């Protein structure tokens, strides 16, 4: 499982922060061909396969849903620090949303509110256990 965590972290770097560095081009919704992600993964994990990527998506903290595979494309779902904004589907929020932050950030949040910092969006969840973990 440790290998899948390492692959997941590398995928986050490639798909959330530095796609161009790895020869990836994201569309407006953040998708890029899965085959190109596998090729980029092989710069660090020489034996990486599409099955590894699918295993990361399906088994590595699946409740966080870090990635989406659609047809032959993949994207990171959140946490992008790219200049170009990734389009997200508009959704009606539930009555209660939670945000996971470190307790040391509370005073600042109470003064400034929730802000995305270096990310594109503030990430929220309706799941208390997930908010506690992040």
């Amino acid at each position: 499982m440790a290998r899948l965590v390492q692959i997941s972290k590398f995928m986050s770097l490639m798909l959330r922060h530095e796609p161009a560095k790895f020869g990836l081009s994201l569309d407006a919704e953040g998708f890029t061909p899965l085959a190109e992600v596998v090729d980029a993964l092989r710069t660090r994990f020489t034996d990486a396969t599409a099955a590894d990527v699918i295993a990361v998506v399906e088994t590595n903290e699946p409740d966080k849903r870090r990635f989406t595979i659609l047809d032959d494309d993949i994207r990171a779902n959140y946490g992008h620090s790219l200049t170009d904004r990734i389009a997200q589907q508009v959704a009606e929020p539930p009555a209660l949303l939670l945000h996971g932050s470190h307790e040391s950030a509370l005073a600042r949040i109470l003064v400034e509110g929730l802000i995305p910092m270096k990310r594109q969006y503030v990430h929220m969840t309706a799941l208390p256990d997930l908010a506690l973990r992040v």
Side-chain angles (χ1 to χ4, degrees):
M1 186 55 100
R3 181 171 183 271
L4 290 182
V5 170
Q6 291 174 334
I7 289 174
S8 176
K9 288 181 179 190
F10 195 57
M11 287 170 51
S12 290
L13 175 66
M14 293 188 303
L15 296 172
R16 295 160 110 186
H17 308 296
E18 299 181 357
K21 179 178 178 180
F22 300 97
L24 302 174
S25 181
L26 307 182
D27 71 11
E29 294 179 341
F31 283 99
T32 194
L34 177 61
E36 292 179 18
V37 170
V38 172
D39 288 344
L41 276 172
R42 289 183 179 144
T43 63
R44 183 159 305 165
F45 304 92
T46 56
D47 59 343
T49 65
D52 292 325
V53 173
I54 292 166
V56 164
V57 172
E58 292 178 352
T59 66
N60 191 28
E61 296 185 283
D63 58 333
K64 289 188 178 181
R65 291 186 272 153
R66 296 180 190 275
F67 306 99
T68 295
I69 294 175
L70 182 63
D71 299 323
D72 295 326
D73 295 329
I74 185 170
R75 76 168 179 190
N77 290 330
Y78 56 82
H80 298 86
S81 63
L82 306 170
T83 304
D84 294 335
R85 188 171 287 278
I86 300 295
Q88 297 287 345
Q89 187 175 16
V90 175
E92 187 69 30
L96 178 66
L97 280 171
L98 306 165
H99 175 72
S101 288
H102 194 273
E103 190 174 345
S104 63
L106 180 59
R108 185 173 177 181
I109 291 170
L110 290 173
V111 171
E112 298 177 14
L114 291 173
I115 55 176
M117 306 299 283
K118 295 180 181 178
R119 308 302 173 130
Q120 293 184 2
Y121 300 96
V122 172
H123 302 285
M124 314 272 303
T125 181
L127 305 172
D129 61 320
L130 183 57
L132 285 171
R133 278 192 290 139
V134 297

